[in-house]
Amino acid sequence: MTATCERIGGRRVLFVMAVEAEYGPHLRARFSPLLTGVGPVEAALVTGMALQDLARRGDLPDLVVSLGSAGSRACPLGEIYQISSVSWRDMDASRLGFTKGVTPLTDHPVDLPLVTPLPLPLARLSTGANVVGGEEYGAIDADMVDMETFAVARACSRFDVPLMGLRGVSDGPGELDHIDSWTALLGLLDERLAAAVDLLPDALGSIASAA
């Protein structure tokens, strides 16, 4: 799928999502996203290739927006949050003396800060390759969990493009034991994420005017 930037508030914006299931009618009326597939490997691969292609065309975005669903036991179901930082819960080379969450021989903090231009509540996000449920939340140092944002952030950092994250809480309380447990609230999140996207023109227009 060819990546296409939207023009919002005087800025080129690339929207990135994981799968069609999260891309409902309200979001479809607003933008065409880059769909990466599920998990950090797919997200890094597809986002990196898309940014490389945009760079060759001289059309790198001024901002990437990663959005979709997330799990949480700290944030209420159905609510939308702007991501203040994202970490990678899978990476653990601590036996070699590296800080847990930091990729060996690279230069990134445990928590990668994201840009937060919107007047929305903030949350810290943890990315990993596993679907989190039950007591597993207790071992994760973050407010929310997903499977793509950290990978998108690393791809963006290679091209020096800022990243914003928007996530709606689809699951968390109780046990996540079937795909229906994830999809039940996606229609509501589609509507509420679209309302958050509607805040971008004013926020980015103010940034562009101040630049």
Side-chain angles (χ1 to χ4, degrees), residues 46-72:
V46 173
T47 305
M49 290 175 63
L51 291 175
Q52 178 64 43
D53 182 54
L54 288 167
R56 282 197 299 264
R57 290 153 43 192
D59 195 30
L60 272 175
D62 299 303
L63 176 69
V64 171
V65 179
S66 172
L67 69 164
S69 63
S72 179

Side-chain angles (χ1 to χ4, degrees), residues 6-8 15 23-33 67 190-199:
E6 312 281 344
R7 198 78 185 186
I8 299 177
F15 291 92
Y23 184 46
H26 295 279
L27 292 176
R28 287 176 187 273
R30 287 159 172 81
F31 60 79
S32 297
L67 69 164
D190 170 56
E191 182 176 353
R192 292 183 172 180
L193 284 169
V197 169
D198 287 343
L199 300 174

Side-chain angles (χ1 to χ4, degrees), residues 75 81-86 120-125 142-144:
C75 303
Y81 290 84
Q82 191 172 200
I83 304 306
S84 59
S85 66
V86 62
L120 292 174
L122 302 177
R124 295 170 60 235
L125 180 65
D143 304 307
M144 310 172 78

Side-chain angles (χ1 to χ4, degrees), residues 193-208:
L193 284 169
V197 169
D198 287 343
L199 300 174
L200 277 170
D202 286 342
L204 299 185
S206 298
I207 294 172

Side-chain angles (χ1 to χ4, degrees), residues 31-43:
F31 60 79
S32 297
L34 173 71
L35 294 174
T36 66
V38 175
V41 172
E42 301 303 314

Side-chain angles (χ1 to χ4, degrees), residues 152-197:
V152 174
R154 289 295 288 153
C156 287
S157 70
R158 291 297 182 97
F159 292 88
D160 199 25
V161 174
L163 174 65
M164 186 182 106
L166 288 173
R167 291 283 155 177
V169 183
S170 58
D171 55 87
E175 186 54 64
L176 185 64
D177 56 6
H178 191 273
I179 193 169
D180 292 343
S181 303
W182 166 59
T183 60
L185 290 181
L186 293 187
L188 174 64
L189 296 185
D190 170 56
E191 182 176 353
R192 292 183 172 180
L193 284 169
V197 169

Side-chain angles (χ1 to χ4, degrees), residues 32-139:
S32 297
L34 173 71
L35 294 174
T36 66
V38 175
V41 172
E42 301 303 314
L45 177 66
V46 173
T47 305
M49 290 175 63
L51 291 175
Q52 178 64 43
D53 182 54
L54 288 167
R56 282 197 299 264
R57 290 153 43 192
D59 195 30
L60 272 175
D62 299 303
L63 176 69
V64 171
V65 179
S66 172
L67 69 164
S69 63
S72 179
R73 284 199 168 175
C75 303
L77 285 171
E79 295 300 314
I80 304 300
Y81 290 84
Q82 191 172 200
I83 304 306
S84 59
S85 66
V86 62
S87 57
W88 189 12
R89 63 181 176 271
D90 295 335
M91 178 53 66
D92 185 359
S94 56
R95 292 189 178 189
L96 301 180
F98 296 98
T99 301
K100 187 178 185 298
V102 175
T103 307
L105 310 179
T106 63
D107 183 22
H108 70 78
V110 173
D111 291 287
L112 295 178
L114 305 189
V115 298
T116 54
L118 300 183
L120 292 174
L122 302 177
R124 295 170 60 235
L125 180 65
S126 166
T127 292
N130 65 311
V131 175
V132 177
E135 298 306 313
E136 294 171 337
Y137 279 100

